[in-house]
Amino acid sequence: MNKILALSLAASLLPLSAAAANEPAEAPRALGEEASIVFPSDSTIRNWRADRDRGIWVQDRRGDWFYGTFAGICRDIDFAPQIAVDSRGVNRLDRFATILVRGERCPLVSFVTSAPPPSKEGASKEDKKAADAAEDAVAN
């Protein structure tokens, strides 16, 4: 009796698995589009990396990367162990936010979807392409 129940249950689930297989794959995320991270905090920002003193890559909790361009240069960010975000009360990291680094205010002028930053150890061709894609996205 248990074998009959198990087989009938498996047979009833078969059409559902076929329908799921026919669903279109999720479209890749468009790069270079203005974006935001809501409620920027330790639980919503997984990682960040400075782009020398001109910008910052930020990874959200889902693993998506963003690139923020500073209005000017942001000294010390390349060596800072931590940063803070001043979102001016709207609880959103976007192009209107300011990154705080060792007491210095580094306002953003752009915050867009991005490819991951290049690796620190000898950037591969793929990493260089990702960095170029991020810079092109910011420029457009």
Side-chain angles (χ1 to χ4, degrees), residues 71-107:
I73 62 168
C74 186
R75 291 183 299 272
D76 296 333
I77 192 161
D78 213 15
F79 305 103
Q82 62 189 15
I83 60 170
V85 177
D86 179 3
S87 59
R88 299 195 178 215
V90 292
N91 281 330
R92 186 178 357 200
L93 173 54
D94 59 14
R95 66 184 181 150
F96 301 109
T98 298
I99 304 296
L100 304 171
V101 181
R102 297 180 179 172
E104 182 182 358
R105 300 181 61 78
C106 303

PDB file of all heavy atoms in Angstrom, residues 71-107:
ATOM      1  N   ALA A  71      32.175  62.108  -5.650  1.00  0.00           N
ATOM      2  CA  ALA A  71      32.146  63.436  -6.258  1.00  0.00           C
ATOM      3  C   ALA A  71      33.554  63.975  -6.448  1.00  0.00           C
ATOM      4  O   ALA A  71      33.833  64.711  -7.389  1.00  0.00           O
ATOM      5  CB  ALA A  71      31.323  64.392  -5.399  1.00  0.00           C
ATOM      6  N   GLY A  72      34.452  63.609  -5.598  1.00  0.00           N
ATOM      7  CA  GLY A  72      35.867  64.007  -5.686  1.00  0.00           C
ATOM      8  C   GLY A  72      36.696  62.800  -5.290  1.00  0.00           C
ATOM      9  O   GLY A  72      36.255  61.674  -5.444  1.00  0.00           O
ATOM     10  N   ILE A  73      37.872  63.064  -4.752  1.00  0.00           N
ATOM     11  CA  ILE A  73      38.661  61.934  -4.286  1.00  0.00           C
ATOM     12  C   ILE A  73      38.302  61.645  -2.826  1.00  0.00           C
ATOM     13  O   ILE A  73      37.878  62.535  -2.089  1.00  0.00           O
ATOM     14  CB  ILE A  73      40.176  62.168  -4.436  1.00  0.00           C
ATOM     15  CG1 ILE A  73      40.633  63.345  -3.590  1.00  0.00           C
ATOM     16  CG2 ILE A  73      40.563  62.338  -5.885  1.00  0.00           C
ATOM     17  CD1 ILE A  73      42.148  63.430  -3.473  1.00  0.00           C
ATOM     18  N   CYS A  74      38.475  60.402  -2.438  1.00  0.00           N
ATOM     19  CA  CYS A  74      38.190  59.982  -1.065  1.00  0.00           C
ATOM     20  C   CYS A  74      39.465  59.374  -0.497  1.00  0.00           C
ATOM     21  O   CYS A  74      39.723  58.184  -0.684  1.00  0.00           O
ATOM     22  CB  CYS A  74      37.032  58.990  -1.045  1.00  0.00           C
ATOM     23  SG  CYS A  74      36.502  58.569   0.628  1.00  0.00           S
ATOM     24  N   ARG A  75      40.255  60.225   0.150  1.00  0.00           N
ATOM     25  CA  ARG A  75      41.530  59.763   0.700  1.00  0.00           C
ATOM     26  C   ARG A  75      41.281  58.693   1.763  1.00  0.00           C
ATOM     27  O   ARG A  75      40.258  58.688   2.427  1.00  0.00           O
ATOM     28  CB  ARG A  75      42.280  60.924   1.325  1.00  0.00           C
ATOM     29  CG  ARG A  75      42.789  61.922   0.309  1.00  0.00           C
ATOM     30  CD  ARG A  75      43.595  63.016   1.004  1.00  0.00           C
ATOM     31  NE  ARG A  75      42.829  63.772   1.980  1.00  0.00           N
ATOM     32  CZ  ARG A  75      42.105  64.852   1.679  1.00  0.00           C
ATOM     33  NH1 ARG A  75      42.052  65.290   0.447  1.00  0.00           N
ATOM     34  NH2 ARG A  75      41.447  65.487   2.609  1.00  0.00           N
ATOM     35  N   ASP A  76      42.201  57.803   1.909  1.00  0.00           N
ATOM     36  CA  ASP A  76      42.223  56.775   2.953  1.00  0.00           C
ATOM     37  C   ASP A  76      41.222  55.632   2.760  1.00  0.00           C
ATOM     38  O   ASP A  76      41.247  54.676   3.521  1.00  0.00           O
ATOM     39  CB  ASP A  76      42.022  57.369   4.359  1.00  0.00           C
ATOM     40  CG  ASP A  76      43.145  58.287   4.763  1.00  0.00           C
ATOM     41  OD1 ASP A  76      44.275  58.101   4.270  1.00  0.00           O
ATOM     42  OD2 ASP A  76      42.898  59.199   5.576  1.00  0.00           O
ATOM     43  N   ILE A  77      40.326  55.710   1.799  1.00  0.00           N
ATOM     44  CA  ILE A  77      39.353  54.615   1.682  1.00  0.00           C
ATOM     45  C   ILE A  77      40.020  53.307   1.269  1.00  0.00           C
ATOM     46  O   ILE A  77      39.588  52.239   1.655  1.00  0.00           O
ATOM     47  CB  ILE A  77      38.189  54.956   0.733  1.00  0.00           C
ATOM     48  CG1 ILE A  77      37.095  53.895   0.901  1.00  0.00           C
ATOM     49  CG2 ILE A  77      38.657  55.076  -0.710  1.00  0.00           C
ATOM     50  CD1 ILE A  77      35.750  54.266   0.416  1.00  0.00           C
ATOM     51  N   ASP A  78      41.097  53.415   0.514  1.00  0.00           N
ATOM     52  CA  ASP A  78      41.781  52.200   0.057  1.00  0.00           C
ATOM     53  C   ASP A  78      42.405  51.435   1.224  1.00  0.00           C
ATOM     54  O   ASP A  78      42.665  50.245   1.106  1.00  0.00           O
ATOM     55  CB  ASP A  78      42.856  52.578  -0.967  1.00  0.00           C
ATOM     56  CG  ASP A  78      43.037  51.523  -2.030  1.00  0.00           C
ATOM     57  OD1 ASP A  78      42.175  50.636  -2.159  1.00  0.00           O
ATOM     58  OD2 ASP A  78      44.044  51.579  -2.743  1.00  0.00           O
ATOM     59  N   PHE A  79      42.633  52.103   2.339  1.00  0.00           N
ATOM     60  CA  PHE A  79      43.268  51.466   3.489  1.00  0.00           C
ATOM     61  C   PHE A  79      42.350  51.389   4.706  1.00  0.00           C
ATOM     62  O   PHE A  79      42.786  50.960   5.765  1.00  0.00           O
ATOM     63  CB  PHE A  79      44.545  52.226   3.858  1.00  0.00           C
ATOM     64  CG  PHE A  79      45.485  52.362   2.703  1.00  0.00           C
ATOM     65  CD1 PHE A  79      45.590  53.570   2.010  1.00  0.00           C
ATOM     66  CD2 PHE A  79      46.232  51.279   2.256  1.00  0.00           C
ATOM     67  CE1 PHE A  79      46.448  53.693   0.930  1.00  0.00           C
ATOM     68  CE2 PHE A  79      47.092  51.401   1.172  1.00  0.00           C
ATOM     69  CZ  PHE A  79      47.191  52.612   0.506  1.00  0.00           C
ATOM     70  N   ALA A  80      41.113  51.802   4.565  1.00  0.00           N
ATOM     71  CA  ALA A  80      40.193  51.837   5.698  1.00  0.00           C
ATOM     72  C   ALA A  80      39.675  50.438   6.042  1.00  0.00           C
ATOM     73  O   ALA A  80      39.271  49.693   5.151  1.00  0.00           O
ATOM     74  CB  ALA A  80      39.018  52.756   5.388  1.00  0.00           C
ATOM     75  N   PRO A  81      39.680  50.085   7.320  1.00  0.00           N
ATOM     76  CA  PRO A  81      39.141  48.787   7.713  1.00  0.00           C
ATOM     77  C   PRO A  81      37.614  48.771   7.755  1.00  0.00           C
ATOM     78  O   PRO A  81      36.995  47.720   7.714  1.00  0.00           O
ATOM     79  CB  PRO A  81      39.727  48.560   9.105  1.00  0.00           C
ATOM     80  CG  PRO A  81      39.962  49.932   9.642  1.00  0.00           C
ATOM     81  CD  PRO A  81      40.296  50.784   8.448  1.00  0.00           C
ATOM     82  N   GLN A  82      37.010  49.952   7.831  1.00  0.00           N
ATOM     83  CA  GLN A  82      35.551  50.040   7.877  1.00  0.00           C
ATOM     84  C   GLN A  82      35.087  51.373   7.317  1.00  0.00           C
ATOM     85  O   GLN A  82      35.845  52.326   7.236  1.00  0.00           O
ATOM     86  CB  GLN A  82      35.039  49.866   9.297  1.00  0.00           C
ATOM     87  CG  GLN A  82      35.515  50.933  10.252  1.00  0.00           C
ATOM     88  CD  GLN A  82      35.177  50.614  11.693  1.00  0.00           C
ATOM     89  OE1 GLN A  82      34.841  49.502  12.030  1.00  0.00           O
ATOM     90  NE2 GLN A  82      35.265  51.610  12.544  1.00  0.00           N
ATOM     91  N   ILE A  83      33.826  51.398   6.929  1.00  0.00           N
ATOM     92  CA  ILE A  83      33.201  52.615   6.426  1.00  0.00           C
ATOM     93  C   ILE A  83      31.846  52.771   7.110  1.00  0.00           C
ATOM     94  O   ILE A  83      31.341  51.833   7.722  1.00  0.00           O
ATOM     95  CB  ILE A  83      32.996  52.574   4.893  1.00  0.00           C
ATOM     96  CG1 ILE A  83      32.104  51.408   4.492  1.00  0.00           C
ATOM     97  CG2 ILE A  83      34.333  52.549   4.186  1.00  0.00           C
ATOM     98  CD1 ILE A  83      31.655  51.421   3.043  1.00  0.00           C
ATOM     99  N   ALA A  84      31.270  53.943   6.960  1.00  0.00           N
ATOM    100  CA  ALA A  84      29.908  54.193   7.423  1.00  0.00           C
ATOM    101  C   ALA A  84      29.160  54.864   6.283  1.00  0.00           C
ATOM    102  O   ALA A  84      29.772  55.429   5.364  1.00  0.00           O
ATOM    103  CB  ALA A  84      29.921  55.090   8.661  1.00  0.00           C
ATOM    104  N   VAL A  85      27.840  54.793   6.346  1.00  0.00           N
ATOM    105  CA  VAL A  85      27.000  55.389   5.311  1.00  0.00           C
ATOM    106  C   VAL A  85      26.110  56.439   5.949  1.00  0.00           C
ATOM    107  O   VAL A  85      25.407  56.161   6.926  1.00  0.00           O
ATOM    108  CB  VAL A  85      26.121  54.320   4.617  1.00  0.00           C
ATOM    109  CG1 VAL A  85      25.197  54.955   3.601  1.00  0.00           C
ATOM    110  CG2 VAL A  85      26.992  53.257   3.960  1.00  0.00           C
ATOM    111  N   ASP A  86      26.161  57.661   5.420  1.00  0.00           N
ATOM    112  CA  ASP A  86      25.250  58.728   5.827  1.00  0.00           C
ATOM    113  C   ASP A  86      24.212  58.848   4.717  1.00  0.00           C
ATOM    114  O   ASP A  86      24.513  59.329   3.628  1.00  0.00           O
ATOM    115  CB  ASP A  86      26.004  60.039   6.006  1.00  0.00           C
ATOM    116  CG  ASP A  86      25.097  61.186   6.417  1.00  0.00           C
ATOM    117  OD1 ASP A  86      23.884  60.962   6.617  1.00  0.00           O
ATOM    118  OD2 ASP A  86      25.606  62.316   6.528  1.00  0.00           O
ATOM    119  N   SER A  87      23.010  58.364   5.004  1.00  0.00           N
ATOM    120  CA  SER A  87      21.959  58.385   3.984  1.00  0.00           C
ATOM    121  C   SER A  87      20.992  59.543   4.187  1.00  0.00           C
ATOM    122  O   SER A  87      19.950  59.605   3.541  1.00  0.00           O
ATOM    123  CB  SER A  87      21.199  57.054   3.999  1.00  0.00           C
ATOM    124  OG  SER A  87      20.625  56.844   5.271  1.00  0.00           O
ATOM    125  N   ARG A  88      21.333  60.426   5.093  1.00  0.00           N
ATOM    126  CA  ARG A  88      20.539  61.636   5.374  1.00  0.00           C
ATOM    127  C   ARG A  88      19.083  61.323   5.705  1.00  0.00           C
ATOM    128  O   ARG A  88      18.169  61.993   5.234  1.00  0.00           O
ATOM    129  CB  ARG A  88      20.644  62.629   4.237  1.00  0.00           C
ATOM    130  CG  ARG A  88      22.080  63.065   4.039  1.00  0.00           C
ATOM    131  CD  ARG A  88      22.166  64.278   3.200  1.00  0.00           C
ATOM    132  NE  ARG A  88      23.587  64.618   3.128  1.00  0.00           N
ATOM    133  CZ  ARG A  88      24.023  65.840   3.091  1.00  0.00           C
ATOM    134  NH1 ARG A  88      23.184  66.837   3.105  1.00  0.00           N
ATOM    135  NH2 ARG A  88      25.302  66.080   3.031  1.00  0.00           N
ATOM    136  N   GLY A  89      18.891  60.252   6.465  1.00  0.00           N
ATOM    137  CA  GLY A  89      17.553  59.946   6.983  1.00  0.00           C
ATOM    138  C   GLY A  89      16.653  59.132   6.085  1.00  0.00           C
ATOM    139  O   GLY A  89      15.556  58.774   6.497  1.00  0.00           O
ATOM    140  N   VAL A  90      17.052  58.818   4.865  1.00  0.00           N
ATOM    141  CA  VAL A  90      16.159  58.054   3.988  1.00  0.00           C
ATOM    142  C   VAL A  90      16.428  56.549   4.032  1.00  0.00           C
ATOM    143  O   VAL A  90      15.733  55.786   3.396  1.00  0.00           O
ATOM    144  CB  VAL A  90      16.221  58.542   2.523  1.00  0.00           C
ATOM    145  CG1 VAL A  90      15.644  59.934   2.393  1.00  0.00           C
ATOM    146  CG2 VAL A  90      17.615  58.467   1.977  1.00  0.00           C
ATOM    147  N   ASN A  91      17.446  56.121   4.790  1.00  0.00           N
ATOM    148  CA  ASN A  91      17.792  54.711   4.937  1.00  0.00           C
ATOM    149  C   ASN A  91      17.959  53.991   3.611  1.00  0.00           C
ATOM    150  O   ASN A  91      17.382  52.932   3.370  1.00  0.00           O
ATOM    151  CB  ASN A  91      16.757  53.984   5.803  1.00  0.00           C
ATOM    152  CG  ASN A  91      16.984  54.254   7.262  1.00  0.00           C
ATOM    153  OD1 ASN A  91      18.107  54.470   7.693  1.00  0.00           O
ATOM    154  ND2 ASN A  91      15.913  54.256   8.031  1.00  0.00           N
ATOM    155  N   ARG A  92      18.746  54.598   2.743  1.00  0.00           N
ATOM    156  CA  ARG A  92      19.009  54.015   1.428  1.00  0.00           C
ATOM    157  C   ARG A  92      20.392  54.435   0.964  1.00  0.00           C
ATOM    158  O   ARG A  92      20.734  55.615   1.005  1.00  0.00           O
ATOM    159  CB  ARG A  92      17.958  54.514   0.438  1.00  0.00           C
ATOM    160  CG  ARG A  92      18.020  53.887  -0.895  1.00  0.00           C
ATOM    161  CD  ARG A  92      16.923  54.415  -1.778  1.00  0.00           C
ATOM    162  NE  ARG A  92      16.081  55.331  -1.040  1.00  0.00           N
ATOM    163  CZ  ARG A  92      14.851  55.674  -1.374  1.00  0.00           C
ATOM    164  NH1 ARG A  92      14.327  55.221  -2.445  1.00  0.00           N
ATOM    165  NH2 ARG A  92      14.148  56.502  -0.657  1.00  0.00           N
ATOM    166  N   LEU A  93      21.186  53.453   0.542  1.00  0.00           N
ATOM    167  CA  LEU A  93      22.480  53.744  -0.060  1.00  0.00           C
ATOM    168  C   LEU A  93      22.240  53.923  -1.545  1.00  0.00           C
ATOM    169  O   LEU A  93      21.887  52.972  -2.242  1.00  0.00           O
ATOM    170  CB  LEU A  93      23.469  52.603   0.203  1.00  0.00           C
ATOM    171  CG  LEU A  93      24.826  52.683  -0.492  1.00  0.00           C
ATOM    172  CD1 LEU A  93      25.536  53.996  -0.216  1.00  0.00           C
ATOM    173  CD2 LEU A  93      25.693  51.510  -0.087  1.00  0.00           C
ATOM    174  N   ASP A  94      22.391  55.149  -2.013  1.00  0.00           N
ATOM    175  CA  ASP A  94      22.179  55.465  -3.425  1.00  0.00           C
ATOM    176  C   ASP A  94      23.087  56.632  -3.796  1.00  0.00           C
ATOM    177  O   ASP A  94      23.994  56.977  -3.038  1.00  0.00           O
ATOM    178  CB  ASP A  94      20.704  55.766  -3.724  1.00  0.00           C
ATOM    179  CG  ASP A  94      20.148  56.940  -2.924  1.00  0.00           C
ATOM    180  OD1 ASP A  94      20.937  57.706  -2.325  1.00  0.00           O
ATOM    181  OD2 ASP A  94      18.922  57.105  -2.896  1.00  0.00           O
ATOM    182  N   ARG A  95      22.859  57.244  -4.932  1.00  0.00           N
ATOM    183  CA  ARG A  95      23.753  58.303  -5.403  1.00  0.00           C
ATOM    184  C   ARG A  95      23.697  59.582  -4.563  1.00  0.00           C
ATOM    185  O   ARG A  95      24.516  60.472  -4.740  1.00  0.00           O
ATOM    186  CB  ARG A  95      23.472  58.626  -6.860  1.00  0.00           C
ATOM    187  CG  ARG A  95      22.117  59.238  -7.087  1.00  0.00           C
ATOM    188  CD  ARG A  95      21.873  59.437  -8.548  1.00  0.00           C
ATOM    189  NE  ARG A  95      20.576  60.042  -8.767  1.00  0.00           N
ATOM    190  CZ  ARG A  95      20.296  60.815  -9.761  1.00  0.00           C
ATOM    191  NH1 ARG A  95      21.225  61.084 -10.660  1.00  0.00           N
ATOM    192  NH2 ARG A  95      19.103  61.311  -9.896  1.00  0.00           N
ATOM    193  N   PHE A  96      22.748  59.661  -3.656  1.00  0.00           N
ATOM    194  CA  PHE A  96      22.636  60.835  -2.802  1.00  0.00           C
ATOM    195  C   PHE A  96      23.286  60.616  -1.431  1.00  0.00           C
ATOM    196  O   PHE A  96      23.317  61.524  -0.611  1.00  0.00           O
ATOM    197  CB  PHE A  96      21.171  61.222  -2.614  1.00  0.00           C
ATOM    198  CG  PHE A  96      20.468  61.515  -3.916  1.00  0.00           C
ATOM    199  CD1 PHE A  96      19.509  60.651  -4.413  1.00  0.00           C
ATOM    200  CD2 PHE A  96      20.799  62.635  -4.654  1.00  0.00           C
ATOM    201  CE1 PHE A  96      18.877  60.903  -5.617  1.00  0.00           C
ATOM    202  CE2 PHE A  96      20.177  62.899  -5.864  1.00  0.00           C
ATOM    203  CZ  PHE A  96      19.206  62.031  -6.340  1.00  0.00           C
ATOM    204  N   ALA A  97      23.800  59.430  -1.178  1.00  0.00           N
ATOM    205  CA  ALA A  97      24.403  59.098   0.109  1.00  0.00           C
ATOM    206  C   ALA A  97      25.848  59.586   0.176  1.00  0.00           C
ATOM    207  O   ALA A  97      26.439  59.970  -0.832  1.00  0.00           O
ATOM    208  CB  ALA A  97      24.340  57.591   0.338  1.00  0.00           C
ATOM    209  N   THR A  98      26.381  59.545   1.369  1.00  0.00           N
ATOM    210  CA  THR A  98      27.772  59.922   1.605  1.00  0.00           C
ATOM    211  C   THR A  98      28.447  58.789   2.361  1.00  0.00           C
ATOM    212  O   THR A  98      27.897  58.263   3.325  1.00  0.00           O
ATOM    213  CB  THR A  98      27.855  61.221   2.433  1.00  0.00           C
ATOM    214  OG1 THR A  98      27.245  62.278   1.692  1.00  0.00           O
ATOM    215  CG2 THR A  98      29.284  61.595   2.749  1.00  0.00           C
ATOM    216  N   ILE A  99      29.638  58.410   1.903  1.00  0.00           N
ATOM    217  CA  ILE A  99      30.432  57.395   2.598  1.00  0.00           C
ATOM    218  C   ILE A  99      31.357  58.122   3.562  1.00  0.00           C
ATOM    219  O   ILE A  99      32.014  59.100   3.191  1.00  0.00           O
ATOM    220  CB  ILE A  99      31.259  56.553   1.591  1.00  0.00           C
ATOM    221  CG1 ILE A  99      30.361  55.914   0.528  1.00  0.00           C
ATOM    222  CG2 ILE A  99      32.092  55.512   2.324  1.00  0.00           C
ATOM    223  CD1 ILE A  99      29.379  54.909   1.039  1.00  0.00           C
ATOM    224  N   LEU A 100      31.406  57.666   4.809  1.00  0.00           N
ATOM    225  CA  LEU A 100      32.256  58.266   5.826  1.00  0.00           C
ATOM    226  C   LEU A 100      33.453  57.351   6.066  1.00  0.00           C
ATOM    227  O   LEU A 100      33.290  56.163   6.341  1.00  0.00           O
ATOM    228  CB  LEU A 100      31.485  58.440   7.132  1.00  0.00           C
ATOM    229  CG  LEU A 100      30.191  59.256   7.023  1.00  0.00           C
ATOM    230  CD1 LEU A 100      29.404  59.194   8.315  1.00  0.00           C
ATOM    231  CD2 LEU A 100      30.500  60.682   6.649  1.00  0.00           C
ATOM    232  N   VAL A 101      34.653  57.930   5.927  1.00  0.00           N
ATOM    233  CA  VAL A 101      35.890  57.175   6.087  1.00  0.00           C
ATOM    234  C   VAL A 101      36.809  57.953   7.020  1.00  0.00           C
ATOM    235  O   VAL A 101      37.267  59.043   6.662  1.00  0.00           O
ATOM    236  CB  VAL A 101      36.594  56.974   4.720  1.00  0.00           C
ATOM    237  CG1 VAL A 101      37.872  56.175   4.901  1.00  0.00           C
ATOM    238  CG2 VAL A 101      35.674  56.315   3.727  1.00  0.00           C
ATOM    239  N   ARG A 102      37.026  57.419   8.212  1.00  0.00           N
ATOM    240  CA  ARG A 102      37.927  58.058   9.178  1.00  0.00           C
ATOM    241  C   ARG A 102      37.633  59.549   9.351  1.00  0.00           C
ATOM    242  O   ARG A 102      38.530  60.386   9.332  1.00  0.00           O
ATOM    243  CB  ARG A 102      39.376  57.852   8.767  1.00  0.00           C
ATOM    244  CG  ARG A 102      39.796  56.405   8.747  1.00  0.00           C
ATOM    245  CD  ARG A 102      41.219  56.250   8.330  1.00  0.00           C
ATOM    246  NE  ARG A 102      41.581  54.844   8.359  1.00  0.00           N
ATOM    247  CZ  ARG A 102      42.707  54.368   7.901  1.00  0.00           C
ATOM    248  NH1 ARG A 102      43.613  55.172   7.389  1.00  0.00           N
ATOM    249  NH2 ARG A 102      42.957  53.088   7.946  1.00  0.00           N
ATOM    250  N   GLY A 103      36.370  59.886   9.457  1.00  0.00           N
ATOM    251  CA  GLY A 103      35.969  61.271   9.660  1.00  0.00           C
ATOM    252  C   GLY A 103      35.826  62.087   8.391  1.00  0.00           C
ATOM    253  O   GLY A 103      35.326  63.201   8.418  1.00  0.00           O
ATOM    254  N   GLU A 104      36.271  61.575   7.269  1.00  0.00           N
ATOM    255  CA  GLU A 104      36.149  62.281   5.989  1.00  0.00           C
ATOM    256  C   GLU A 104      34.810  61.928   5.327  1.00  0.00           C
ATOM    257  O   GLU A 104      34.392  60.781   5.323  1.00  0.00           O
ATOM    258  CB  GLU A 104      37.297  61.883   5.051  1.00  0.00           C
ATOM    259  CG  GLU A 104      37.257  62.612   3.721  1.00  0.00           C
ATOM    260  CD  GLU A 104      38.373  62.173   2.779  1.00  0.00           C
ATOM    261  OE1 GLU A 104      39.204  61.335   3.154  1.00  0.00           O
ATOM    262  OE2 GLU A 104      38.402  62.688   1.659  1.00  0.00           O
ATOM    263  N   ARG A 105      34.169  62.918   4.757  1.00  0.00           N
ATOM    264  CA  ARG A 105      32.900  62.714   4.054  1.00  0.00           C
ATOM    265  C   ARG A 105      33.182  62.581   2.556  1.00  0.00           C
ATOM    266  O   ARG A 105      33.810  63.451   1.970  1.00  0.00           O
ATOM    267  CB  ARG A 105      31.950  63.884   4.312  1.00  0.00           C
ATOM    268  CG  ARG A 105      31.622  64.057   5.786  1.00  0.00           C
ATOM    269  CD  ARG A 105      30.671  65.207   6.033  1.00  0.00           C
ATOM    270  NE  ARG A 105      29.394  65.042   5.377  1.00  0.00           N
ATOM    271  CZ  ARG A 105      28.394  64.262   5.810  1.00  0.00           C
ATOM    272  NH1 ARG A 105      28.554  63.564   6.912  1.00  0.00           N
ATOM    273  NH2 ARG A 105      27.267  64.191   5.151  1.00  0.00           N
ATOM    274  N   CYS A 106      32.709  61.497   1.960  1.00  0.00           N
ATOM    275  CA  CYS A 106      32.930  61.221   0.541  1.00  0.00           C
ATOM    276  C   CYS A 106      31.574  61.058  -0.133  1.00  0.00           C
ATOM    277  O   CYS A 106      31.024  59.946  -0.186  1.00  0.00           O
ATOM    278  CB  CYS A 106      33.763  59.954   0.371  1.00  0.00           C
ATOM    279  SG  CYS A 106      35.349  60.003   1.226  1.00  0.00           S
ATOM    280  N   PRO A 107      30.998  62.164  -0.636  1.00  0.00           N
ATOM    281  CA  PRO A 107      29.678  62.075  -1.261  1.00  0.00           C
ATOM    282  C   PRO A 107      29.729  61.315  -2.583  1.00  0.00           C
ATOM    283  O   PRO A 107      30.708  61.398  -3.335  1.00  0.00           O
ATOM    284  CB  PRO A 107      29.278  63.536  -1.486  1.00  0.00           C
ATOM    285  CG  PRO A 107      30.519  64.330  -1.347  1.00  0.00           C
ATOM    286  CD  PRO A 107      31.515  63.521  -0.596  1.00  0.00           C
TER     287      PRO A 107
END
